[in-house]
Structures are given as C-alpha cells and as structure tokens.
Amino acid sequence: MADTNPLKAIRAIEDLLKRERAAILAGDIDKLAVFAPEKEHLLSRLRTPEEPPLALEKLRQQADQNQQLLAASAKGIRAARQRLEALISGQSELRTYTPEGRARDLSKRGSRLERKA
C-alpha cells in the first residue's frame, strides 16, 4: 500500500527540490532528467486536501526559484553559443590580456606562418 502521509510527501519533495537546485548550480543538467520521474511520483502523493497551505506555498517558492535558475542557465548557454558563433564567423573580436596587462585583440592577428618558395 502506498504511503499517503502528506507531510512525508512534502518533506520528500523539499529534499528533491534541494537536490535539483544543487544540480542546477553545479551545472549537472543531465541529473535533472533523473529527478523528473521521482518528482512526478511525489507530486501524485499530494493529491489529497490535507496538505498544509503554508507547506505547499514553500514548495511552490522552491520550485519557482529552481525555474528561475534554469532560465538563467539557459540564457547564459545561449549567450555563450552566440559569442562562440560570432568568434568563429569572424564577426566579433576576441580580446585577451598580455602578461603585462595590456589588451590584445587576437581576432585580427596575422598568420605566423612564414612562406618560403
């Protein structure tokens, strides 16, 4: 028989959301797919009217925070991809610094190959 204690389910979901947050912050996006079936199972245990409203609000806030972290991660990944595409296509500069601290544009460097006949 399945455990229908709503407080146990709430604690289990809180724990899962904490693990999900840690995975997001660590960049372990593959782990999120592993959490999905567990999350569905735990949420199905909350389908009774006995859950305390404050506990459910806390879960919603944790889930919203994780969603915001995922959105920020996705935005960062898109920005990095666009930057790399611009660098590869030559549309953007690649600026670095020399050991002396002077700015250097690597995207406009000439070839160092010396051609001999």
Side-chain angles (χ1 to χ4, degrees):
M1 184 169 162
D3 184 9
T4 58
N5 182 336
L7 292 178
K8 284 185 180 179
I10 287 170
R11 280 193 291 276
I13 294 171
E14 283 177 347
D15 178 62
L16 177 72
L17 290 171
K18 286 177 186 175
R19 290 184 287 140
E20 182 179 70
R21 178 181 174 84
I24 295 167
L25 292 173
D28 193 357
I29 303 302
D30 292 336
K31 202 172 209 175
L32 299 178
V34 174
F35 291 147
E38 183 180 357
K39 191 187 294 186
E40 284 181 37
H41 170 73
L42 291 171
L43 289 172
S44 71
R45 290 173 46 190
L46 289 181
R47 302 252 162 90
T48 65
E50 298 139 19
E51 291 85 18
L54 291 176
L56 293 178
E57 178 61 21
K58 183 179 175 185
L59 289 179
R60 187 193 61 74
Q61 289 174 355
Q62 284 180 291
D64 286 348
Q65 288 172 352
N66 286 357
Q67 183 61 40
Q68 290 171 2
L69 286 173
L70 279 172
S73 295
K75 184 177 177 181
I77 290 169
R78 280 192 299 274
R81 185 182 69 229
Q82 289 171 349
R83 177 75 172 131
L84 286 172
E85 288 172 354
L87 288 171
I88 290 169
S89 68
Q91 296 173 355
S92 181
E93 296 178 344
L94 175 59
R95 296 190 58 87
T96 63
Y97 293 91
T98 66
E100 296 80 32
R102 283 180 258 148
R104 176 172 54 183
D105 183 2
L106 292 181
S107 60
K108 294 182 180 172
R109 292 177 72 180
S111 174
R112 289 186 163 199
L113 294 176
E114 188 177 312
R115 297 173 196 233
K116 295 183 179 185

